Each structure stands twice: as C-alpha cells, then as structure tokens.
Amino acid sequence: MMLEQQLANTTIIRRVLLIGGGICLVAAGICGLFSTSKPLKHAAQPTQEDVQPQFQAEKLSAIPNLGVMVDEVRPLQQTTRVVASGQHSAEFRGTHFIQTNIKNYALEIFETNKEELIQDFLDKRSDRQKFIYLRLSIEHQPERYILLYGLYNSEDNAQEQLQQLNLGLPKSIHPKTVALKNYADLVNDMGADELSSNQQLYNVKLKPAAIPQTPVVSVVPATSTVTTTTPAVQTTITRKDHEGNVVSVTQSAGIEASAPH
C-alpha cells in the first residue's frame, strides 16, 4: 500500500509541474506576441524647418570671410620688371626702349624662339648697330625673340625704307613695318642699355704729394750723476752731579753731505 501511495504522489507532482510549465509557456508566447505587434520607435528625423535655419546660419557666417583671401593674396600685377636669364647681346632692349619710342616704327626682320639665332645673325653683320631685338612674353605660350631694324618717326618713312632695304636676307624671310607700341604689353625686361647704365665705373686719380721733411734731432749723451750719502753722526752728552745722578742730556746731530762723482 505504501508503494502504491508513493507512486500516486509522484504522478500528481509530475502532472502539476507539467501543467505549470505549460502555463508558463503559454504566458511567454502571449507576451512575445504583444511585444512584436507594437512598431519600434525610430529616432525622429529632422524636418525641413529644423534644417533650413541651421543651413542659413552657416551660409551667412561664411559670407563675411569671402574677401579675406583677396586681402591676403592680392591679384597679380604686371608691374614688376624682370631681368631675363642668359647672356644677352648689346642690342637687347626692354621696356625702357619701348616706352621711350612708343610712337616710332621699325622694320621687323624675323621672329624666333631661340635667342642664339639672333645673336649668330648679328655676329655676322658689320652694321649690327642698326639692329635691336626684344623678348616677347605671351601668357601660356613659349617666349619669342623678335629682331628689328632701324627706328623711324612715321609709318611712311618706315615703308619707304622697307622698299629700299637690301640686307641680303634669304628669300624665306619677309621683313615688314611694325609700330613699337604693339610690343608695349609683351615686353617686360630690362634691356642691355639699362643694365650697362646701372654699372657705374669710377676712376681713381693719383696726384703727387710732397713728402714732409723729418727734423733731425741731435742726440746728447746723457751724463750720469752718482750721489753718495754720508750717514749722519749723532752725539749724546750726559751731565751728572757728584752723586752720580743725571742732570741733563744733550743730543747733537751731524749734517749729511753728498758729493757728485
């Protein structure tokens, strides 16, 4: 009987646990359904009204700084004259020559991108003092050198000289009349005439000068004097009475004598 009762109690306990577990499982499923049925709350997206004021504030704060770089880095000014590198001939000219002869005309002989060709041409000419050449600086283009001949105060004079010109040039070269003002914006160099004028030469002239006479100083042999000092002699006189007591003491000093030798 006891065994049967224990088995019955065990069966009851198992049923109670099984029923309790089932109830817990059902409760968990119901809670899961409720949690998944509610939509998740996402972070609120900023509206157009929220974005626009912030964008406008940044835009307005940037406007006052637009002109800062203009003050710090100024626009390029074509006022600085340069000294073109290289060894130029004495016929090389720059802006000073153009400005001085801005109303004059010349004959354009030929144009090249190598200065050496012009220098070789001038070296072979005995009348090279009538030629000049310029360096043309054009933006985004390689530099060019142009050789000119003569200097005329009018286009008619230049054209007349062109008809009479006989330089023995090759047939491929065709000189033409040109106004020097056409090169005013293309030349930005210091010519050889300016560079040579800046180098000042100084002459040092030496003049003969009288040599001052030096006075003759006679040398007199020095005489030496030896002085011998004789020590002084001091005399003491003591007077005593008949009893032997000192009555008076008298001292007398001798005179020092010196004799030159």
Side-chain angles (χ1 to χ4, degrees):
M1 290 293 294
M2 294 295 295
L3 182 59
E4 293 178 356
Q5 188 176 0
Q6 291 179 355
L7 292 175
N9 293 336
T10 303
T11 303
I12 294 172
I13 293 173
R14 290 178 178 178
R15 289 179 179 178
V16 172
L17 293 177
L18 183 60
I19 293 172
I23 294 173
C24 293
L25 183 60
V26 172
I30 294 173
C31 292
L33 290 176
F34 279 105
S35 61
T36 56
S37 61
K38 295 181 180 181
L40 297 176
K41 294 183 180 181
H42 298 280
Q45 296 293 333
T47 61
Q48 185 176 1
E49 291 77 6
D50 297 334
V51 176
Q52 187 67 18
Q54 182 179 2
F55 173 76
Q56 292 292 341
E58 294 178 356
K59 182 178 180 181
L60 293 176
S61 63
I63 289 177
N65 297 327
L66 291 178
V68 173
M69 294 304 295
V70 177
D71 297 334
E72 296 296 333
V73 182
R74 298 187 179 277
L76 180 63
Q77 298 179 356
Q78 299 294 337
T79 57
T80 304
R81 303 175 61 195
V82 299
V83 179
S85 60
Q87 187 67 29
H88 303 294
S89 299
E91 293 78 13
F92 182 73
R93 295 294 181 268
T95 55
H96 177 71
F97 176 83
I98 296 298
Q99 295 299 328
T100 304
N101 302 278
I102 194 68
K103 297 181 180 180
N104 294 333
Y105 294 80
L107 301 181
E108 179 181 321
I109 305 303
F110 65 86
E111 183 178 347
T112 180
N113 59 350
K114 293 183 179 180
E115 186 179 4
E116 293 80 6
L117 296 179
I118 295 179
Q119 293 175 342
D120 293 341
F121 176 83
L122 294 176
D123 290 339
K124 298 176 183 178
R125 304 291 305 189
S126 59
D127 56 345
R128 61 182 300 171
Q129 69 275 5
K130 298 181 181 180
F131 293 88
I132 62 169
Y133 70 96
L134 308 171
R135 186 180 73 95
L136 305 183
S137 179
I138 306 175
E139 187 177 4
H140 305 302
Q141 293 185 17
E143 60 183 16
R144 306 284 294 176
Y145 292 89
I146 184 169
L147 180 64
L148 302 177
Y149 177 87
L151 190 63
Y152 310 97
N153 55 7
S154 66
E155 187 176 3
D156 294 337
N157 293 340
Q159 189 66 31
E160 182 180 356
Q161 181 64 31
L162 180 60
Q163 300 298 330
Q164 303 175 1
L165 188 64
N166 184 15
L167 299 177
L169 302 174
K171 295 182 179 181
S172 58
I173 298 178
H174 303 284
K176 62 180 180 180
T177 303
V178 63
L180 294 180
K181 64 181 181 181
N182 297 340
Y183 305 124
D185 297 333
L186 304 179
V187 177
N188 192 32
D189 295 316
M190 295 183 64
D193 53 342
E194 297 179 79
L195 296 177
S196 60
S197 62
N198 292 336
Q199 298 176 357
Q200 299 180 358
L201 299 179
Y202 298 92
N203 293 330
V204 179
K205 296 182 179 180
L206 301 178
K207 296 182 178 180
I211 301 176
Q213 297 180 356
T214 305
V216 179
V217 180
S218 58
V219 180
V220 179
T223 57
S224 60
T225 302
V226 179
T227 303
T228 304
T229 303
T230 304
V233 179
Q234 185 175 3
T235 304
T236 303
I237 300 173
T238 304
R239 295 180 183 275
K240 299 180 180 181
D241 54 2
H242 60 278
E243 294 179 356
N245 297 323
V246 178
V247 177
S248 62
V249 178
T250 303
Q251 295 181 353
S252 62
I255 301 175
E256 297 180 355
S258 59
H261 296 278

